[in-house]
Amino acid sequence: MSYETIILEKKQQTAWIYLNRPEHMNALSKQLVEEFIQVLQNVEEDPSVQVVVLSGQGKAFCAGADLKELLDDLDRGPNGEEGILDLAGKLFDKLNHLSKPLIAALNGITLAGGLEIAMTADLIVASEKAKIGDAHSNFGVLPGGGGAVRLPRKIGINRAKYLLFTGDFISAQEMKEFGLVNEVVEPENLEGFVQEIADKIARKSPLVLKEMKRLVEDGLEQPLDIALKHELLALKNHTQSHDFREGLSAFTEKRTPNFKGY
């Protein structure tokens, strides 16, 4: 399937999804959001894809919603079609429930909805040139994709409120110090560095990765004693899987495991 506002490239077992409206700083138009939803569905269902990477073309990762299109949507009023906000809700639902490891490779400006997209990722690697912020308050807009909910959980309530209230942008290095960004690299090394991480992850059991991701996300929302019980139960169930036995057999036989994902 071909896309106009998305570029999909497969590198080994990794699907790279590039937002491709560089002349608009990859702002989220209705078309981009629709194509983004479709490509996420495709990589979720593709058994050859073990890891998904999000990045952007040009100088920005994503500058958030296309505000002109959002305003046009409001001016037109209900016309029987889904508006950009409804579609954005579906996009974030796809991102939030993607079962495969998701890495955000922030190549440049990452603001508002762009930051919200990045925060759905399991890992974030950023270029030294990336500037990151919420920015909704600069335009009299509220977050709708997790900005006010996720950011305090990621970097702490005081830092989050500062960025939410002021609309300031800060460096990728500062966001690493705050705990949001895992690594900051030189711009020319971004894709190679992320691909190395993706290749390392892709060698692991797809079943283990999927269950680990679920356990982490669910565990954050549960009391500790309940989360620990669920983790132990997941392990007991996992012992009946091919990948569990294959991993242990490969260890004892001193060979590379051949994981199947079941």
Side-chain angles (χ1 to χ4, degrees):
M1 182 177 291
S2 61
Y3 305 97
E4 293 181 5
T5 62
I6 293 284
I7 296 173
L8 173 63
E9 292 183 4
K10 293 183 181 178
K11 304 176 184 179
Q12 290 84 48
Q13 293 174 287
T14 302
W16 282 75
I17 299 172
Y18 297 91
L19 307 186
N20 186 35
R21 296 184 75 215
E23 70 281 6
H24 299 290
M25 298 182 71
N26 298 322
L28 300 173
S29 66
K30 185 175 180 179
Q31 181 183 7
L32 189 152
V33 172
E34 289 174 331
E35 293 185 354
F36 201 169
I37 292 169
Q38 184 59 61
V39 78
L40 286 170
Q41 184 66 35
N42 290 344
V43 299
E44 178 71 84
E45 295 173 352
D46 187 343
S48 70
V49 172
Q50 303 295 347
V51 181
V52 181
V53 178
L54 305 178
S55 196
Q57 291 287 297
K59 296 181 179 180
F61 172 71
C62 176
D66 186 319
L67 298 181
K68 181 179 183 302
E69 194 165 312
L70 177 58
L71 187 59
D72 289 344
D73 248 14
L74 295 174
D75 288 342
R76 279 195 303 270
N79 59 3
E81 295 182 3
E82 286 184 300
I84 190 170
L85 290 181
D86 295 316
L87 286 168
K90 292 185 176 182
L91 170 61
F92 280 100
D93 187 61
K94 283 284 185 190
L95 288 165
N96 292 333
H97 293 95
L98 191 72
S99 68
K100 300 177 181 183
L102 180 62
I103 304 173
L106 307 185
N107 55 297
I109 293 291
T110 303
L111 304 176
L115 174 58
E116 291 173 320
I117 289 171
M119 287 193 294
T120 67
D122 303 298
L123 303 174
I124 300 177
V125 179
S127 160
E128 290 177 341
K129 290 187 176 181
K131 294 291 184 182
I132 304 170
D134 179 74
H136 283 100
S137 64
N138 296 339
F139 306 102
V141 179
L142 283 172
V149 175
R150 272 204 169 100
L151 196 58
R153 301 182 186 201
K154 296 282 189 179
I155 67 174
I157 189 169
N158 289 347
R159 289 168 174 163
K161 282 183 176 179
Y162 180 85
L163 291 177
L164 288 163
F165 293 173
T166 65
D168 285 354
F169 316 157
I170 64 175
S171 70
Q173 185 59 45
E174 286 179 282
M175 275 299 197
K176 181 183 178 185
E177 293 168 5
F178 290 174
L180 179 71
V181 171
N182 293 91
E183 297 289 347
V184 178
V185 299
E186 295 178 357
E188 61 271 20
N189 296 334
L190 178 64
E191 291 197 3
F193 186 88
V194 170
Q195 188 62 55
E196 286 184 13
I197 296 173
D199 289 343
K200 183 183 295 186
I201 294 171
R203 291 192 289 269
K204 307 301 190 288
S205 160
L207 180 61
V208 164
L209 295 173
K210 179 180 179 179
E211 285 300 298
M212 278 186 173
K213 181 168 179 172
R214 182 186 65 80
L215 286 168
V216 170
E217 296 298 330
D218 289 352
L220 289 173
E221 306 301 325
Q222 297 166 340
L224 180 60
D225 59 334
I226 300 298
L228 290 171
K229 288 178 181 177
H230 285 179
E231 183 182 75
L232 181 57
L233 179 59
L235 171 57
K236 289 179 177 178
N237 291 335
H238 182 64
T239 61
Q240 303 304 308
S241 70
H242 166 275
D243 283 3
F244 177 81
R245 292 184 176 275
E246 171 62 13
L248 297 188
S249 297
F251 173 76
T252 58
E253 296 165 13
K254 299 182 178 180
R255 60 175 174 81
T256 301
N258 182 23
F259 295 123
K260 301 291 189 181
Y262 56 81

